[in-house]
Amino acid sequence: LRQTPGVDAAREEPESLQALYHKALVGEADSRPTGREITEIAGSLAALIPTESSWVGARRPHMLCSTPTGRLMGLDLFDRGANPSPLAIAIGATGSGKSVFIACIINSVLATLREARVRAVDFGESFGPHVDVLGGRHLRFNINDPRTINTWDFEGLERGEMPDEIQIALVVLELMLLARVKEDDSIAEDILTNLVTEVYRNEAPRNGPGRPKHEPTLSHLLALLESYPFENQLVRDRAATLALALEKYRGHQWIDAPTHPDFTAESSYDVYELDSLDNFPQDIREALAGRVASRVVRSIGQLKEDGTRTPTLLAFEEVWKIRDKYPRILDVIKRGARQGRKENVVTLLATQAYEDFEALYDVTKTAGVKTIGKQIGDYPRLVSDAGMSKNAAAAISAIRNVAGEYAQYVWVSGSGNDQIVEMIQMDLSPAELWTFTTNPNERNARARVSAISPEWSMAEVIEWLAAVYPRGLAAAGIVEMDETLLNPPSLIEN
C-alpha cells in the first residue's frame, strides 16, 4: 500500500514525517512514542492508518497544469459534483500571471468542451491577440458608429417568451441610473418594475416563430409612463418626474434603439473591450457598460435535444477597474452571477486583491473555486471567506514565479470537509506564451513584428516569435527582439 504526500506533508519536520506518512504498512510500525499519539478505540487497525493524500485532479478535465513537483493535474470548472457553485474567482497582484491564467482557462474551455461559448469583459486589450488567433469577435464601441446593445433584449424574446425577474431587474437598474435615482428610492423602483413588466406583457407576444424580432425599447416605457392610470397622487407625481428625467433619451441612437446585428451573430468567443467607451459622455458610457455586463451575465449555452445546455464561461477581467470606473456593473454581476448552476454556466471574476470584491463579498465568499496568485500585503478576509487552514494560507506566501518559465497559484475548490487545496503551476508552450503575454516588452515585440510584416496574420506573428524566442524576452534577459532576424539588413538600413 503506497500513499502520496498530503497537502501538509512538506510542512512537517522530518522526524514527524516518518511517523505520520508511512510508505508501507508492513515493517513501518514502531512502538516508541513520538508525542503525536491520539487515543483511538477501534475494531480494526484500518482506523489508525493516515488517509491524507494529494488530490488526483478532476476526472474529466478541460485543462491540464502541473504541481511544483512535476505531477500533472486536471482541472474542471464545470464539475458540479466538486464545484457546486457556478462562480469562480482569480486573484493575483500585478505581474503574477493572473491574466495569462485566465487566458489559459478560456483556451482550454474552447479547445476541449464541445460547442462551448466564452463571453469576456476586458480592459486594455488583454485578450486581443487570443481573440484574433481563434477567430473570435473583439467587440468595441465607436462614438461615430452607433451600434448599440438594447438592455431590453434577452435570450428567448425572439420566441415570444416573457423575461424572468433577473432580466426585469437589470432593465430597472439601468433606468434608475439614467433617471439619476438613488438606489434606496423604493417608490421609483416599484413604479419602474411594474411598468417594465407591463411593457414586456404588451410587446413580447409580438414575437414568435416565423416573425421578425420585435424588441421593447425606452420609447415603449415612456409611452406607458405618460398614460398609465396611477391611483395614488404621490405615485403619479413620482412617475411624472421619472418621465421628465428619461424623456431626453427618447430616440437616442445609443439608448433607445434595438440591438445591432453585430452583437447578435453567432460566435463561440466574444470579448467586449470597455476601454472603447472612454470617449462617450458619462451617462451613455455607464449605460453601455451596464448593457455589456447584462448581456454577458445573461449569456447561456444552446439548448440541446436532451434538455441540457452547452457549457458557457463568462469572464470579467480587472474587477478593480470595473469597481472604480463602472460600479453599477458590480450590481449587475451580483444579480446575475448565481444563475449558472442550472444553465451550465461558470462566471469567473479576476482582480488584483480580494478587497476589490468588497461590494460582492456576499457572492464571492460562496465561490466554488478560488485561484490565488502572488499577493502583496495581507489577505485575512480571503483566508476567512475561503475557510482556509493556516498551512493552506501559508502556501500563498510560498508562491514563486519565474518570468517566461512558469507561474504558481494556490487552487482552492469546494468548502468545509470537502475542500481541496493544491499548489498548481502553469507552464506555457512558446505559442501560448506569445499569445497570452502581458509583459510590456513582449507585447511591444509582437506589435513590432505586425508592423514590419503587415501581411502576416496574428497567428503567423506568434508563430515566428515562438520559433525565434521560445521562452520569450523576459526569460532570456532581454527587452528588445533582434529585428535583423526578421528582415534582411538592406531592408533595415533603408
Side-chain angles (χ1 to χ4, degrees):
L1 178 64
R2 295 176 54 201
Q3 182 160 334
T4 53
V7 69
D8 295 331
R11 310 291 177 186
E12 297 285 353
E13 296 296 328
E15 294 79 5
S16 301
L17 288 175
Q18 185 175 0
L20 294 176
Y21 296 90
H22 54 279
K23 297 179 182 177
L25 292 180
V26 179
E28 286 295 307
D30 191 330
S31 61
R32 293 174 296 177
T34 64
R36 304 294 291 274
E37 289 80 16
I38 300 175
T39 301
E40 186 82 30
I41 298 176
S44 168
L45 286 177
L48 304 178
I49 300 173
T51 58
E52 185 180 355
S53 62
S54 55
W55 183 47
V56 297
R59 290 179 298 174
R60 292 179 293 274
H62 59 75
M63 179 177 178
L64 287 177
C65 59
S66 64
T67 65
T69 58
R71 180 169 56 88
L72 282 178
M73 181 186 300
L75 306 179
D76 181 6
L77 292 177
F78 294 87
D79 183 355
R80 286 294 174 262
N83 310 315
S85 170
L87 180 69
I89 62 175
I91 309 163
T94 301
S96 65
K98 168 180 52 65
S99 297
V100 172
F101 181 76
I102 303 303
C104 287
I105 291 178
I106 292 174
N107 201 54
S108 69
V109 166
L110 292 172
T112 61
L113 300 182
R114 184 183 296 274
E115 300 179 287
R117 292 178 174 180
V118 172
R119 302 291 183 260
V121 175
D122 189 23
F123 280 91
E125 310 281 339
S126 298
F127 301 135
H130 191 217
V131 174
D132 291 342
V133 169
L134 296 188
R137 299 190 303 176
H138 204 170
L139 300 170
R140 302 175 179 86
F141 294 92
N142 184 342
I143 195 171
N144 297 315
D145 186 9
R147 291 179 292 175
T148 193
I149 297 172
N150 182 13
T151 194
W152 294 77
D153 187 20
F154 67 94
E155 175 70 26
L157 177 63
E158 69 281 359
R159 297 187 293 272
E161 297 176 6
M162 286 296 293
D164 59 15
E165 292 181 0
I166 295 177
Q167 173 60 30
I168 292 173
L170 292 175
V171 175
V172 171
L173 193 66
E174 178 185 287
L175 293 172
M176 293 179 69
L177 167 69
L178 294 174
R180 301 178 185 175
V181 174
K182 296 181 179 179
E183 294 181 7
D184 60 354
D185 189 338
S186 59
I187 296 179
E189 184 176 4
D190 290 344
I191 292 172
L192 291 173
T193 299
N194 290 333
L195 292 188
V196 167
T197 303
E198 189 68 22
V199 168
Y200 274 122
R201 286 175 183 161
N202 295 338
E203 305 302 326
R206 297 176 61 179
N207 292 288
R211 299 180 182 178
K213 186 175 181 179
H214 171 74
E215 298 179 20
T217 60
L218 176 65
S219 290
H220 296 100
L221 178 81
L222 289 172
L224 201 56
L225 268 173
E226 295 169 353
S227 61
Y228 196 81
F230 296 106
E231 296 181 0
N232 185 284
Q233 182 62 44
L234 176 63
V235 175
R236 285 199 297 272
D237 292 342
R238 192 70 185 94
T241 60
L242 289 172
L244 183 63
L246 294 171
E247 178 62 32
K248 68 176 183 177
Y249 299 107
R250 186 192 295 271
H252 196 287
Q253 59 187 357
W254 290 101
I255 301 300
D256 192 17
T259 299
H260 192 276
D262 284 0
F263 296 103
T264 61
E266 183 58 35
S267 169
S268 61
Y269 187 15
D270 286 348
V271 174
Y272 294 87
E273 182 58 57
L274 291 188
D275 277 354
S276 64
L277 296 174
D278 286 350
N279 293 327
F280 285 77
Q282 182 176 349
D283 55 343
I284 306 302
R285 181 170 68 238
E286 292 181 355
L288 290 177
R291 291 183 175 198
V292 166
S294 297
R295 191 165 189 84
V296 169
V297 300
R298 300 296 284 160
S299 297
I300 56 178
Q302 295 177 329
L303 185 65
K304 298 189 291 187
E305 293 182 358
D306 61 0
T308 62
R309 289 192 179 273
T310 55
T312 302
L313 175 65
L314 314 178
F316 289 83
E317 173 67 313
E318 306 293 8
V319 171
W320 68 274
K321 287 187 178 181
I322 292 176
R323 178 202 62 192
D324 293 343
K325 295 188 68 172
Y326 304 111
R328 287 292 182 113
I329 289 184
L330 301 182
D331 293 330
V332 173
I333 294 174
K334 184 182 295 187
R335 294 174 185 268
R338 293 190 177 98
Q339 70 168 343
R341 182 183 175 98
K342 295 180 180 179
E343 307 293 358
N344 204 17
V345 174
V346 171
T347 300
L348 177 58
L349 307 178
T351 193
Q352 294 184 358
Y354 191 65
E355 289 70 26
D356 299 336
F357 293 133
E358 184 174 1
L360 298 171
Y361 276 158
D362 58 330
V363 175
T364 57
K365 68 181 180 182
T366 65
V369 171
K370 301 175 180 68
T371 306
I372 306 148
K374 197 169 184 64
Q375 297 291 294
I376 297 176
D378 298 328
Y379 32 87
R381 182 63 187 260
L382 170 61
V383 173
S384 174
D385 283 357
M388 300 172 66
S389 67
K390 291 183 179 180
N391 286 334
I396 299 174
S397 61
I399 290 174
R400 298 291 181 268
N401 296 340
V402 178
E405 296 291 337
Y406 61 80
Q408 295 178 345
Y409 313 86
V410 172
W411 172 275
V412 182
S413 177
S415 60
N417 295 332
D418 297 326
Q419 187 177 84
I420 297 167
V421 181
E422 285 286 348
M423 180 81 84
I424 62 174
Q425 183 170 298
M426 294 303 302
D427 303 276
L428 302 179
S429 69
E432 287 176 324
L433 186 152
W434 280 105
T435 302
F436 304 147
T437 183
T438 57
N439 179 285
N441 296 323
E442 291 170 349
R443 295 181 71 169
N444 288 342
R446 193 171 56 201
R448 183 62 180 152
V449 173
S450 294
I452 295 175
S453 302
E455 73 280 5
W456 284 6
S457 67
M458 181 56 67
E460 291 172 318
V461 169
I462 290 170
E463 179 184 5
W464 183 87
L465 287 166
V468 178
Y469 298 103
R471 300 314 310 160
L473 303 184
I478 57 178
V479 296
E480 295 181 351
M481 68 175 187
D482 184 355
E483 295 186 6
T484 62
L485 299 175
L486 184 63
N487 284 319
S490 59
L491 183 57
I492 296 293
E493 292 172 2
N494 292 335

